[in-house]
Amino acid sequence: MDFREVPVERKKVFDGRLIKVEVEKVKTPAGRVATREIVRHAKAVCLLVVNDKGLFAVVKQWREPIATTTMEIPAGKVDSRDHGSSLAAAKRELNEETRLQADKLTKIFGFHSSVGFSDEYLTLYLATGLSPVEKKLPQDPDEELRLRWLSLTEGLKMIEQGQITDAKTIMAIYYLKGQKND
């Protein structure tokens, strides 16, 4: 069966700094017309930053959409400074959010964050062989971040207790757990 929906009308509703919102009318495989609300988002990266003690980095920050602070792995969008390169964005975000550089940045996998309404695609990198950066890049002026290092046990407990609810961070912690079990 062909599941493809065919767009028949597209309307831009919002064009912001971070996202664009479109409303599409589509024809379903069964011939019905349906409405789809779609958030368009730039490619993004996230980083599982692991130090030589086996601890991983999270940043504590305020997230207005859920009106609370979160504990998340470092992340950010690929922008013009990166010339379309997810790897360049990963290096830049690592510097901006942790003030570290990595001897080794390994692509783990890519994933869509929420396919029901958004096209956001993130690439997860593992950063190891860490050292302080020589030149600190400017941090985003609208971000207040606090770096924290967690053990795998602490991270798993924080997920269980609802203290870590960010999907990319949960995915990275369980990836780390899987690597420890090998």
Side-chain angles (χ1 to χ4, degrees):
M1 176 179 181
D2 186 4
F3 289 93
R4 189 171 317 144
E5 296 179 341
V6 179
V8 294
E9 182 182 319
R10 179 176 290 140
K11 180 181 173 187
K12 288 187 180 181
V13 177
F14 177 77
D15 190 357
R17 183 179 62 84
L18 182 62
I19 63 166
K20 297 173 181 12
V21 180
E22 298 175 353
V23 175
E24 282 188 356
K25 296 248 188 246
V26 298
K27 189 173 188 178
T28 69
R32 292 187 284 277
V33 175
T35 301
R36 304 291 184 236
E37 297 171 346
I38 303 168
V39 174
R40 303 286 183 197
H41 191 285
K43 286 190 314 184
V45 296
C46 49
L47 295 135
L48 177 55
V49 182
V50 180
N51 68 18
D52 58 359
K53 296 177 184 174
L55 303 176
F56 67 94
V58 292
V59 289
K60 184 175 185 176
Q61 61 186 313
W62 181 261
R63 290 299 194 180
E64 186 58 29
I66 59 173
T68 193
T69 55
T70 62
M71 299 292 272
E72 303 173 42
I73 59 174
K77 66 182 172 70
V78 178
D79 65 28
S80 60
R81 297 171 288 180
D82 309 312
H83 306 287
S85 167
S86 293
L87 181 60
K91 290 176 183 178
R92 179 180 51 74
E93 288 292 340
L94 181 63
N95 180 322
E96 289 176 5
E97 295 197 5
T98 69
R99 301 305 194 196
L100 297 170
Q101 59 189 357
D103 285 340
K104 190 170 182 185
L105 266 176
T106 307
K107 178 181 173 181
I108 299 173
F109 50 71
F111 61 96
H112 288 96
S113 63
S114 187
V115 296
F117 70 91
S118 175
D119 67 354
E120 181 183 39
Y121 184 83
L122 294 103
T123 303
L124 175 62
Y125 288 91
L126 174 63
T128 56
L130 306 173
S131 60
V133 295
E134 291 178 20
K135 181 182 177 192
K136 294 178 181 179
L137 296 175
Q139 295 180 318
D140 292 342
D142 61 347
E143 285 184 327
E144 297 290 333
L145 307 174
R146 176 147 308 125
L147 184 65
R148 183 170 168 192
W149 293 93
L150 300 175
S151 69
L152 177 59
T153 302
E154 289 172 311
L156 290 167
K157 186 174 182 180
M158 290 175 80
I159 292 169
E160 184 181 307
Q161 294 175 342
Q163 295 172 298
I164 293 178
T165 60
D166 175 63
K168 68 184 174 299
T169 303
I170 292 169
M171 193 180 322
I173 292 169
Y174 277 101
Y175 171 83
L176 187 59
K177 180 180 187 233
Q179 296 305 299
K180 301 271 187 197
N181 290 339
D182 284 350

